Each structure stands twice: as C-alpha cells, then as structure tokens.
Amino acid sequence: MKPVLFLTGHAPPDRIGAFAALHELENVEFALFGGPSKHATAEPPAQRLAFPHRRVTQRASARLIISGRYRAVVVSTAGRVALPLSWAAARRAGVPLILWSSLWAHPRSAAHVFSYLALRRLYRSADAVVTYGPHVSAYVKARGARNVHVAAQAVDNAFWGSPETSPPTHGTWPEGTAVKFLFAGRPSREKGLQVLLRAWRASGLTTSSAALVLVGVRSVPPWIHAGGAADIFEEKVICAGELDPVAMRNFYGAADVLVLPSIATRTFREPWGLVINEAMNQHLPVIASDAVGAVAGGLVRPSHNGLVVAGGDVAGLAAAMKRLAEDPHARACMGEQGARDVQAYTYQAWARGFSDALHSLHLSRRGW
C-alpha cells in the first residue's frame, strides 16, 4: 500500500513515540513545516526522530499531496497556509483527508474570525476527524463533523512511571517540607499562574510546612508584577526553571500534588495538559481547572484521582490545595487511582485512533 502523509508543524519529544507507533501500524510519512509551538519542550535533532519524515514549507505541502504517492493525508489545525492549501490539494487530487483537531473552543481574536468559518467547512467536509479526546469530539460534531475518532493523548508511560527516581538534586528543591505542590508549564497567562499564586496566599499554606514549586518559571513574569502578586514569590514559592526529563521525573516522584490551574483566554484553551499524564505515572493526585482538556476529556475525575475547580476561581483552588495538604490519605488514594487510570493512555492507543479513521475509509493496513 502507499503510505499515509501526515502534515504537522513539529515533532516535540512527547509526540515522537506516538508518531513512531502510528508509522509502525499504518506506514506513515511525516512532513514537518515548523512554525509557532505551544509545547514546552523543543523538537529534538532530526536523527532522533524514529519515523520517516521530511522538512517542508507550508506551501510545499500541496505538491506532496497531489504527487500521487499517498493513499490519504492527515492534516492538523496548525498552519495558516498549510491547512487551506492541503484541503484544496486533497480535493483536487481526490485524496481522502483526515483532520487532526485539538480545539474545543475557537480563538476569539480578530485574526481568527475568518478561520472559524473555514474550519467549520473543514469539519463538515473532512472524510474523517481525529480528536484529542471526547471534549474535542463533542465540539467538532456540534459543528457538522462526521466520522469522528479519538486519539487518546499519551506520554511514554514506561519512562514517566519508572520507579527509578532519585531525590531531586536541584538547588531549589524544598527539602524537609511536609507537602510539596508542583506546577509545571510555560509562564504564560493561560496557564493560570497568577490565579495559582493568589490561591496559594489565600490557602494559608504559606504559614505551614508546605511549599509551591514552579517548574518552567525562571523568574517573576512582568504581568505578575503588574497584577500585584510579585511579592508572593517570597512566601515559600520556588522557581525551578526548565528541567530535563529525568530531573522532571524526580520532581514528580518527590512532590505530593500537581496543580494545573489553566484559564480560558481569547486565544487559547488548554487542549490537554500532558504534564497530568506524566505526574499520574508517578502517583500524584492532580488539582486542575475545568479549562484543562484532560479534565474535559475524562482523565482527571473529581474525588477519584484528583480535584477539579473552575478556571480562575481563586477561592476554589485555595480550598482544594488546603484539603489535599491536610489529608494524606486522600492524596495517596487519588494518586494510586491516577496511576492506574493513565495506563490506558498509551502511544499505541493514540495510533489506534488514526488507524480506526483509516479503517473507516477502507484505507487501513489492518484490512489487507
């Protein structure tokens, strides 16, 4: 069979295993056109990409599609030029088109007004749609998508769940603190960092044997200064900066609770939050907002493997942090349950979502 062409911007570290699993299952060639990325970690050198790939410009993607070399094309919603050109080229060449969609709320900026109309048309006309989770599936179905499949968001569970962790050697790690809350993410507004800092102060935990560790944050962002919350960084709040994967795993292993308080903005709503998968593999309970895709998509379940608060709710987040700080039994039970739940979110399950989409179009290798 001819291969499948998969057009996307990047192959960040948390996608490499997924892309490799899909190639092994369905013989897929990846065309990477670069551009802006919301991933916290950069793409590794090309020699570490364990699947067929090529670097292309967005405009060159159309020439690949009409070349006749591929039995189907998968396009992501990234790429202002690549997406419409790929759709037009696929229709011209008669190549089945599968849309990989992460959006469960369309950006509301002026620049996205016209792209909303274009995406609605694409949802309806795509031969199949593969989504990040049931929350995205519901969104695209409400806008006319049919033949919708889920590719469960996944990380390398074997790596992140390894028991071979060591006590953090990072100089900022709060040794001797009874309860350690961990935030991991970009220091941007949509990650809810300002909400988290205000909740930390409101919780009263600053006077107890607890600490808040911020991974991915080197120093106080300017917009935190503008919000009048900069002085909170002196109250048992530790900036750890960026960490390599092994150090990050050690932080998960030594922490007690992961907090991801993302908020919805005009231009972004957290599609998933893979740090949740990583942390669950190390038996951490999770406090997350309802603006996080892993909550809307069903991985984080309230009082089962974590707690859920409304996005931007300072008082609610403070209460959730205080509750888990004071209840080690609940932390342990939720952490153990999360470690079990996340095992269903594998690279193979992710790849199977795309394979199911191809199978529905009679284009999967499974039928040959």
Side-chain angles (χ1 to χ4, degrees), residues 53-72:
H53 64 280
R54 64 174 71 199
R55 307 287 174 174
V56 299
T57 64
Q58 293 193 43
R59 295 188 180 279
S61 61
R63 293 194 293 272
L64 285 175
I65 294 169
I66 64 177
S67 68
R69 301 205 306 264
Y70 304 101
R71 71 183 191 269

Side-chain angles (χ1 to χ4, degrees), residues 13-279:
D14 50 58
R15 295 278 187 228
I16 292 175
F19 287 175
L22 180 55
H23 167 64
E24 182 177 351
L25 192 60
E26 291 290 357
N27 186 21
V28 178
E29 178 183 310
F30 292 82
L32 309 175
F33 53 77
S37 175
K38 291 290 186 180
H39 290 270
T41 49
E43 188 175 307
Q47 62 267 25
R48 291 176 54 192
L49 301 184
F51 46 82
H53 64 280
R54 64 174 71 199
R55 307 287 174 174
V56 299
T57 64
Q58 293 193 43
R59 295 188 180 279
S61 61
R63 293 194 293 272
L64 285 175
I65 294 169
I66 64 177
S67 68
R69 301 205 306 264
Y70 304 101
R71 71 183 191 269
V73 58
V74 178
V75 297
S76 69
T77 52
R80 292 183 180 180
V81 176
L83 183 57
L85 283 182
S86 299
W87 179 87
R91 289 296 171 256
R92 173 184 169 187
V95 177
L97 183 142
I98 299 171
L99 177 66
W100 182 31
S101 184
S102 63
L103 296 177
W104 54 300
H106 195 81
R108 301 191 304 277
S109 68
H112 289 92
V113 171
F114 296 106
S115 66
Y116 175 74
L117 299 175
L119 270 177
R120 280 196 64 134
R121 183 180 182 188
L122 187 52
Y123 293 145
R124 294 171 178 172
S125 63
D127 296 286
V129 178
V130 178
T131 72
Y132 272 38
H135 59 307
V136 181
S137 294
Y139 176 82
V140 299
K141 286 178 181 178
R143 285 149 186 81
R146 52 192 172 79
N147 193 19
V148 179
H149 305 265
V150 171
Q153 293 301 289
V155 299
D156 184 349
N157 290 339
F159 173 83
W160 292 107
S162 172
E164 298 179 4
T165 59
S166 304
T169 57
H170 196 281
T172 64
W173 185 254
E175 294 287 352
T177 306
V179 182
K180 303 170 186 68
F181 291 87
L182 183 66
F183 166 91
R186 293 175 285 107
S188 54
R189 293 179 185 274
E190 60 259 23
K191 292 295 184 178
L193 188 56
Q194 193 170 74
V195 175
L196 174 58
L197 294 174
R198 289 175 174 168
W200 176 248
R201 171 174 283 175
S203 70
L205 295 173
T206 59
T207 61
S208 67
S209 183
L212 174 62
V213 181
L214 309 177
V215 175
V217 181
R218 288 181 178 271
S219 59
V220 184
W223 49 272
I224 291 287
H225 275 296
D231 61 322
I232 299 177
F233 277 81
E234 300 176 1
E235 300 177 358
K236 296 185 180 178
V237 177
I238 297 158
C239 294
E242 293 81 13
L243 301 177
D244 65 59
V246 172
M248 186 73 248
R249 186 176 64 188
N250 289 338
F251 268 45
Y252 288 136
D256 298 286
V257 181
L258 178 79
V259 186
L260 189 60
S262 301
I263 59 173
T265 69
R266 289 179 59 83
T267 59
F268 186 80
R269 184 177 292 184
E270 189 81 62
W272 189 258
L274 286 171
V275 294
I276 289 176
N277 298 57
E278 295 171 0

Side-chain angles (χ1 to χ4, degrees), residues 155 157-158 160-162 276-286 299-301 304-306 330-346:
V155 299
N157 290 339
W160 292 107
S162 172
I276 289 176
N277 298 57
E278 295 171 0
M280 282 186 170
N281 270 292
Q282 282 295 323
H283 302 258
L284 282 188
V286 174
L299 175 55
V300 182
R301 287 182 278 168
H304 173 75
N305 54 25
R331 293 200 307 268
C333 290
M334 291 179 186
E336 290 301 315
Q337 188 59 57
R340 289 190 290 268
D341 294 339
V342 79
Q343 297 311 306
Y345 293 75
T346 64

